[in-house]
């Protein structure tokens, strides 16, 4: 059945169809760069952008008709699981305002596979989490997810793998706010061939089968397009 929100959204005929936010830091962590790539539908209209820091101060604002907006933030408040500072980005047209929370952070893999966040080595104390409630089953509420996060924080958990499918749309936004590292997993469970043939070396049977290529890529694309602007997502698990 249907266990997540269903709604109708009315948009202006000319509107922002999509946008992607990426962040990077200089070597000294004294400044951050934000790039915002915008895709428009039906027209070349102006977009007003505004960036507000965690204390409510406007860092930058202007109008543009370009597809790419580049901003520099001096002395940035950096995002991590212990201090999940979030800037607010507002993209405004003449008929709507689109908000997006932005964490200033940079992820690198160096040397023999060491993961760095903001040039620092981090350690995961993580759990697998299913979108499941003992009362409502898969129809989890925002309140239930927040309660899960409260319990995790009380037990020093800082990382979550969304096994084995994308969690509720607002789950990663809450991870941004509360401070969790997320391994975001697409719904590409492929254990069936192992059960059918009785051997673990059949895990890749569907991934390597051209009959399933379109469906496979569709699920990866939908996960990425939904969560690409979430600061908490620092790894993708795509089957």
């Amino acid at each position: 059945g249907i266990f997540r929100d269903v709604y109708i959204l009315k948009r202006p005929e000319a509107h922002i169809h999509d946008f992607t936010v990426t962040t990077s830091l200089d070597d000294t962590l004294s400044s951050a760069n934000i790039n915002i790539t915008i895709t428009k539908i039906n027209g070349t209209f102006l977009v007003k952008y505004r960036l507000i820091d965690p204390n409510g101060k406007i860092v930058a604002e202007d109008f543009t008709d370009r597809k790419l907006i580049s901003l520099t933030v001096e002395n940035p408040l950096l995002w991590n699981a212990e201090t999940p500072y979030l800037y607010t980005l507002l993209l405004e047209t003449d008929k709507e305002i689109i908000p997006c929370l932005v964490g200033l952070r940079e992820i690198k893999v160096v040397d023999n596979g060491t993961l760095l966040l903001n040039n620092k080595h981090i350690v995961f104390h993580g759990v697998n989490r299913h979108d499941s409630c003992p009362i409502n089953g898969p129809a989890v509420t925002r309140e239930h997810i927040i309660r899960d996060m409260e319990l995790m924080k009380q037990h020093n958990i800082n990382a979550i793998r969304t096994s084995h499918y994308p969690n509720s749309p607002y789950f990663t936004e809450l991870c941004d706010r509360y401070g969790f590292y997320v391994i975001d997993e697409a719904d590409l469970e492929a254990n069936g061939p192992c059960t059918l043939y009785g051997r673990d070396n059949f895990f890749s049977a569907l991934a390597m089968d051209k009959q399933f290529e379109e469906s496979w890529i569709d699920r990866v694309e939908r996960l990425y397009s939904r969560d690409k602007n979430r600061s908490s997502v620092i790894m993708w698990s795509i089957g």
Side-chain angles (χ1 to χ4, degrees), residues 63-82:
F63 289 88
T64 184
D65 59 357
R66 294 172 294 156
K67 295 180 179 179
L68 176 64
I69 302 170
S70 295
L71 306 174
T72 299
V73 179
E74 301 296 340
N75 302 313
L77 295 171
L78 301 183
W79 185 97
N80 59 51
E82 286 72 39

Side-chain angles (χ1 to χ4, degrees), residues 23 31 36 39 80 125-126 129 134 143 173 191 199 204 226:
T23 59
S31 68
I36 307 142
T39 304
N80 59 51
H125 298 281
R129 179 186 178 275
E143 291 73 24
E173 181 180 333
N191 290 334
R199 296 202 307 276
S204 62
R226 192 193 74 171

